[in-house]
Amino acid sequence: MSGPLTGVKVLDFTGVVSGPLSTMFLADQGADVLKVEPLGGDITRRSRQPIDEAGEFSALFVSSNRGKRSISLDAKSEAGRKILLRLIEDTDVLVQNFRPGAMERLDLGADQLRSRFPRLIYVSINGVGEDGPYASKRVYDPIVQALSGIADIQAEPVTGRPRMIRTIVADKTSAIFTAQAISAALYAREKTGLGDHIKVAMLDAMLSYLWPEGMMQYTVVGKEATTADPNLRPDQVFETADGYITAGTISNLEWKGFCDAVERPDLIDDPRFSTPSARTANGTERINLMGALLKDRSSEEWLNRLDAADVPCAPILRRKDIVGNAHIVARNLLAELDQPTVGLVRQPQPAARFQQNLLAPLRPAPRIGGDTQAVLRQLGFTDADIERLIAEKVVRAPRRSV
């Protein structure tokens, strides 16, 4: 195993996406992540459509849990909790995303464990925080989109009807915030010798995510009513004769380049568009005009013209086109690996590339309890002990591969 987090041991109690994705990023960077699953496995193994005959894997699970090991046990049983405590003794980071109070009922809460293991970095992820009137809500991604302003920023320009982003943006953004916070806590522990309790609420993460440009009109206190909402203008999706492209004209040079590319030099000094502030103030008119000018030629021709004029632009790829896109192929952004019981699967390479701490090739997601026996042996359990724990349904080992 290689990567900047080699040697870091992570105990992953998380399910669904926000937690598993955050610990998967750590595994990509070399951490030894042991996923703790109930006897039936993480629920996302069966969400959407299964991709193997045994029903252990969904595409969502594979893409949120690659590179981990798995132990499957009954955490509510006395024997199961004893196993977990022995694992925690040698753990650097524990991550859980149960509803507030669940881990405390298992005697595995942050205060309970950190009093015994002061170097432990304990991470709690939840939907909307542990206090406030919404604290007891059951929360999934759309709930956070609704509360954070994301659905409002996506609203239909004409009707004002809020719309959800059609991907679980709150879960995935929270995962990135969490992975970064864990790295910061590991760095701090190197200096102080002490762990920490990190709390990440998905709502908190999405407010931070949205704020820089999404909440500009609410940034200056007392001037909210006089600041125009920059998000009311149309999006920058432009239809061409054979598809869709996007293009941006923030700077004066980019606006001039666009006008030259579409053979409309008269627009360069048009007072509505001649400065960045004017182009922002007249954003709807500008974008509608750009859309009208781009309709009569092919995407390829417009992209060539815009690139030649140094105007930011790109084709809008359909998802089916991403795998074969020339740029993505040239940069080797996707990898193929063998997933047990499934076959060959495709995964994105880690976004962060390290020159000194080279990352190991991507590894598959684990079967349910695929490492239960190996982990218990490392803890000193005999084969007879392990067979007894399996028979008593304290732990689960994988079924034979199909």
Side-chain angles (χ1 to χ4, degrees):
M1 188 179 294
S2 58
L5 294 181
T6 295
V8 174
K9 295 183 179 180
V10 180
L11 205 55
D12 177 4
F13 282 84
T14 66
V16 194
V17 175
S18 61
L21 195 62
S22 69
T23 55
M24 188 192 77
F25 293 145
L26 305 179
D28 283 347
Q29 295 177 359
D32 177 9
V33 179
L34 179 61
K35 186 176 181 67
V36 179
E37 300 190 67
L39 298 180
D42 187 326
I43 62 170
T44 55
R45 288 183 178 273
R46 299 172 296 280
S47 64
R48 309 293 171 88
Q49 294 182 343
I51 57 175
D52 69 327
E53 293 183 7
E56 284 194 66
F57 293 106
S58 67
L60 177 61
F61 180 86
V62 168
S63 298
S64 303
N65 291 279
R66 65 172 182 258
K68 304 178 185 179
R69 298 185 296 151
S70 169
I71 182 172
S72 177
L73 53 72
D74 178 6
K76 295 180 180 179
S77 68
E78 183 178 353
R81 284 197 299 276
K82 286 182 178 179
I83 292 170
L84 291 174
L85 285 172
R86 290 175 65 175
L87 287 170
I88 292 168
E89 289 176 5
D90 194 34
T91 290
D92 296 294
V93 182
L94 184 155
V95 188
Q96 62 90 13
N97 65 347
F98 293 108
R99 293 169 77 176
M103 288 292 277
E104 283 74 13
R105 290 191 291 273
L106 294 173
D107 295 326
L108 298 173
D111 292 341
Q112 295 159 310
L113 291 181
R114 293 199 63 251
S115 63
R116 296 180 58 181
F117 310 109
R119 285 180 55 83
L120 179 66
I121 295 169
Y122 191 106
V123 184
S124 301
I125 307 170
N126 59 48
V128 294
E130 298 175 350
D131 51 14
Y134 298 154
S136 62
K137 274 185 174 292
R138 188 173 182 84
V139 175
Y140 287 118
D141 194 278
I143 308 302
V144 179
Q145 288 198 41
L147 291 173
S148 65
I150 290 291
D152 179 55
I153 204 172
Q154 292 292 112
E156 292 279 359
V158 177
T159 66
R161 182 185 184 274
R163 295 183 300 179
M164 299 288 180
I165 295 177
R166 293 187 180 184
T167 186
I168 48 175
V169 63
D171 274 289
K172 292 184 285 188
T173 302
S174 300
I176 297 169
F177 273 78
T178 301
Q180 188 279 326
I182 291 170
S183 297
L186 286 167
Y187 174 72
R189 194 181 69 174
E190 288 299 302
K191 297 187 295 181
T192 67
L194 295 175
D196 207 335
H197 183 193
I198 301 170
K199 300 179 182 181
V200 179
M202 292 167 63
L203 177 59
D204 302 12
M206 290 311 295
L207 283 176
S208 295
Y209 171 89
L210 181 67
W211 205 273
E213 62 14 288
M215 296 291 285
M216 285 192 290
Q217 69 272 33
Y218 298 100
T219 299
V220 180
V221 177
K223 295 186 177 181
E224 296 87 351
T226 60
T227 305
D229 185 350
N231 305 297
L232 293 180
R233 59 177 180 261
D235 59 26
Q236 291 175 239
V237 175
F238 302 118
E239 185 176 3
T240 66
D242 61 353
Y244 296 89
I245 66 170
T246 188
T249 53
I250 296 176
S251 72
N252 288 336
L253 283 176
E254 290 163 357
W255 177 245
K256 179 181 182 302
F258 176 83
C259 295
D260 289 341
V262 298
E263 300 174 347
R264 286 292 305 272
D266 58 296
L267 295 173
I268 295 173
D269 296 318
D270 187 310
R272 297 171 298 172
F273 314 123
S274 59
T275 66
S277 58
R279 286 192 293 278
T280 298
N282 297 287
T284 297
E285 190 173 2
R286 171 178 55 87
I287 291 173
N288 287 337
L289 176 61
M290 292 171 68
L293 292 170
L294 293 169
K295 276 189 175 181
D296 63 344
R297 300 186 185 185
S298 70
S299 294
E300 182 178 7
E301 180 172 356
W302 282 130
L303 292 170
N304 288 336
R305 283 170 168 258
L306 293 168
D307 276 331
D310 203 25
V311 177
C313 63
I316 294 180
L317 299 178
R318 299 295 189 177
R319 282 170 290 176
K320 64 181 177 61
D321 299 324
I322 290 173
V323 172
N325 177 263
H327 186 78
I328 289 172
V329 171
R331 285 184 47 75
N332 191 33
L333 297 185
L334 302 175
E336 294 181 351
L337 58 149
D338 186 47
Q339 176 65 49
T341 80
V342 176
L344 205 60
V345 298
R346 184 182 292 112
Q347 290 287 288
Q349 298 279 16
R353 302 187 181 193
F354 296 81
Q355 187 173 38
Q356 184 67 33
N357 298 285
L358 296 178
L359 303 182
L362 297 182
R363 294 172 293 130
R367 300 190 64 193
I368 301 174
D371 302 280
T372 295
Q373 292 164 310
V375 169
L376 292 178
R377 290 190 187 103
Q378 290 173 354
L379 292 176
F381 287 86
T382 67
D383 287 347
D385 293 333
I386 295 170
E387 290 302 318
R388 175 178 53 79
L389 291 170
I390 292 173
E392 294 174 354
K393 297 185 177 180
V394 173
V395 301
R396 173 177 171 175
R399 294 173 290 174
R400 184 175 300 171
S401 297
V402 295

